């Protein structure tokens, strides 16, 4: 009996660990919010924002994290003389182009460069584990250093 209980407990721990910390599949827009009530009205706006971003010219940028992972970002530079740059980091188990779908075109209209980062274990970035800021904080510093090189002004 004690062995069965121990097996159940260990199985549950492994399940919840994998659910919280291990890389998942990229979510689709329907996973951002429940399709009920007040959220339902925003799905078209989010879809339109994602479609707008996907149709813009952009380039990929990569850095190597302190622990050797290849991390990805999409860089949107619609204005050659932009004097501001904004770097956007998405939320837990999400994708930046979806989290910021309603704001990306606004930032671009202000003549800003827009950098959308795929955090470790998300999107095109490498990594198997989400560390809830333990390692991501160093990734943010590395992205800022790259931005200083790319946009010195």
């Amino acid at each position: 009996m004690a062995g069965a209980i121990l097996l159940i407990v260990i199985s549950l721990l492994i399940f919840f660990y994998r659910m919280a910390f291990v890389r998942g599949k990229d979510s689709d827009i329907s996973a951002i919010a429940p399709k009920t009530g007040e959220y339902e009205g925003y799905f078209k706006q989010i879809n339109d924002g994602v479609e707008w971003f996907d149709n813009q010219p952009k380039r990929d940028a990569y850095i190597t994290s302190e622990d050797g992972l290849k991390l990805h970002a999409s860089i949107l530079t619609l204005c050659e003389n932009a004097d501001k740059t904004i770097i956007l980091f998405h939320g837990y188990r999400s994708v930046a182009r979806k989290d910021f779908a309603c704001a990306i075109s606004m930032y671009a209209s202000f003549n800003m460069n827009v950098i959308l980062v795929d955090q470790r274990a998300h999107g095109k970035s490498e990594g198997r584990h989400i560390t809830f800021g333990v390692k991501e904080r160093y990734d943010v510093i590395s992205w800022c250093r790259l931005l200083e090189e790319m946009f010195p002004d």
Side-chain angles (χ1 to χ4, degrees):
M1 180 69 165
I5 292 173
L6 182 60
L7 183 61
I8 291 170
V9 168
I10 290 172
S11 297
L12 285 171
L13 288 173
I14 291 170
F15 171 78
F16 286 114
Y17 169 81
R18 291 181 57 81
M19 188 174 78
F21 295 100
V22 177
R23 179 185 194 116
K25 293 181 180 177
D26 290 336
S27 63
D28 64 2
I29 290 183
S30 64
I32 292 174
K35 283 193 171 184
T36 59
E38 64 192 83
Y39 296 105
E40 195 169 7
Y42 294 103
F43 283 100
K44 180 176 178 355
Q45 189 176 359
I46 293 169
N47 275 322
D48 291 347
V50 168
E51 185 177 328
W52 181 89
F53 175 75
D54 288 346
N55 290 318
Q56 300 307 307
K58 59 191 134 324
R59 58 189 164 144
D60 295 321
Y62 293 91
I63 61 168
T64 302
S65 67
E66 291 190 3
D67 57 345
L69 298 177
K70 185 177 180 182
L71 305 179
H72 172 265
S74 295
I75 301 176
L76 184 65
T77 52
L78 296 179
C79 179
E80 290 301 319
N81 60 352
D83 61 351
K84 295 179 188 79
T85 300
I86 186 163
I87 183 168
L88 302 170
F89 295 90
H90 61 80
Y92 176 64
R93 291 201 180 273
S94 191
V95 179
R97 70 190 243 281
K98 295 174 188 171
D99 276 6
F100 301 105
C102 300
I104 299 168
S105 63
M106 177 191 67
Y107 292 129
S109 73
F110 294 152
N111 294 330
M112 299 174 79
N113 299 310
V114 180
I115 290 55
L116 296 173
V117 174
D118 288 334
Q119 299 215 57
R120 62 179 49 232
H122 291 82
K124 294 181 183 176
S125 289
E126 292 180 346
R128 181 159 163 77
H129 294 95
I130 301 165
T131 66
F132 293 94
V134 172
K135 294 183 178 179
E136 289 85 353
R137 62 189 168 146
Y138 299 114
D139 301 341
V140 170
I141 293 169
S142 296
W143 283 114
C144 290
R145 287 188 182 129
L146 178 68
L147 290 178
E148 278 184 326
E149 293 172 19
M150 293 177 69
F151 307 107
D153 296 332

